[in-house]
Amino acid sequence: MSKSQILKKIAKIFGIVLSSVILILLITFIALWHNEISTASSMKLIKDRNDSHNDGAVYTMKVKGDYYFDDFIKQGGVSNDKELLSFITNHITKGLIKMQIKESNIGCSSFTAQTKDGKKLFGRNYDFAKTNTCIVFTKKSKTRHATISTVDLQFLGMDVNKNVEGLMNKITCLAAPYAPLDGINDAGVSCGIYMTYQGEKTVATDQQTDKPDFTSTTMLRMILDYADNVEEAVEIAQSYDLHDSANTSYHYMVADASGKSAILEWVGATDETDNDGSARKLVVTYNDKDSHIGEREAACDFQWITNFIIQPGYYDNVSEDEKKGADRYNQLYADLSPINAVVSDEAQAMEILSHVGRRGWNKQGDSNSITVHSVVYNLTDKTVMWVPNENYNDSVYTYSLK
């Protein structure tokens, strides 16, 4: 055999070996990442940015697989954002790509209502600043509910002035299931998160007992994935230590298809003295057991919430403007009380949300000047009416969990 023939044979063998290695690597990559690849490729732009109106882009994402949340629960959750990032990086990107989740000062409004034929509704405005958002869909499994939730992509590090483009950005957005702001599950349970500005300089809740640990948005994810009703949502919240993110503090409202709702607040004594996040305890206020809050609340079957702690006496000895969102709280009551929170349909509930949309809101309150999204969850039909950036007349998206 000539030298040239030997070299050709070696080259052929080398080519076969190289092709085999590449094939093995490709198969391994697909085996490890097939759910993540499917999820990232499902991310679709449904409404582009409108910079003149401070509108961010809007996306949808359909999550394939379990996004490792069962593993997250088994390890006892996490007690801070750094640990959460470590978990997400190690599990979702297999340690290859660093990810980030951050939170900031947000303002919001919510209420419960029902239609004239008795269908239960949960309305929510998310107020912040210009940002891109994503409507995230997760599937039902043996242990978890199917859900629809909304995520602010700025919290995942996406540039507010750019569309989410490129493989790396879409892979980063795989963390979206861990950062919901509100949502609904297929049992008809809906939940939202709202900033509370607690303490003299806004101190984060940071409970330190022997319970497992959850951060703000992962607690909401837990409720959406596993709660069949309000009572189970409360049981979940009572079973974990809450650790709010990014030096901010939050409370929640949760409702179900029976018409029951509750506001979940982690509080100390008063706003003036509530500066030790580890000393806070969960206080649950149900819609049918809230006479201690005030005469208005006692007289109403519905609940509503903005950005201040509702517990009586909490704002003693501090100025009234410490009650962030009190103006919007009063406006919601003014709209809902005369009709006892009974509306014709989701469209009328959305109209009430528009009355506290922030672009036209010039009253006292927090500094968040944009309503990024408004949503009405129908807890009876398990449907969603979703509007971006106060475009109530021309951008209405509807979805169903049925």
Side-chain angles (χ1 to χ4, degrees), residues 355-371:
H355 296 170
V356 288
R358 303 304 295 280
R359 283 170 173 80
W361 192 262
N362 296 314
K363 303 180 181 68
Q364 171 270 330
D366 55 66
S367 60
N368 301 292
S369 59
I370 291 174
T371 294

Side-chain angles (χ1 to χ4, degrees), residues 259-279:
K260 191 163 192 172
S261 65
I263 292 173
L264 315 181
E265 299 182 307
W266 286 258
V267 295
T270 66
D271 186 50
E272 185 180 38
T273 61
D274 195 3
N275 297 306
D276 182 358
S278 66

Side-chain angles (χ1 to χ4, degrees), residues 70 108 123 129 139 151 154 170 216 222 235 264 266 351 375:
D70 288 340
C108 310
K139 293 184 177 181
V151 175
Q154 184 175 182
K170 289 188 176 182
S216 306
M222 181 78 161
E235 288 176 11
L264 315 181
W266 286 258
E351 181 182 0
V375 59

Side-chain angles (χ1 to χ4, degrees), residues 22-80:
I22 293 173
L23 180 60
I24 291 171
L25 289 174
L26 181 61
I27 292 172
T28 302
F29 179 80
I30 292 174
L32 286 172
W33 287 67
H34 64 282
N35 285 334
E36 288 78 11
I37 293 170
S38 177
T39 301
S41 63
S42 76
M43 193 169 185
K44 305 295 183 186
L45 175 69
I46 63 171
K47 187 172 180 60
D48 209 345
R49 298 189 334 274
N50 177 2
D51 295 332
S52 65
H53 194 244
N54 286 322
D55 294 0
V58 182
Y59 297 84
T60 58
M61 173 188 284
K62 297 180 179 179
V63 178
K64 177 77 177 295
D66 65 1
Y67 47 92
Y68 308 99
F69 201 64
D70 288 340
D71 295 333
F72 183 78
I73 294 169
K74 287 178 183 177
Q75 76 167 31
V78 297
S79 60
N80 55 59

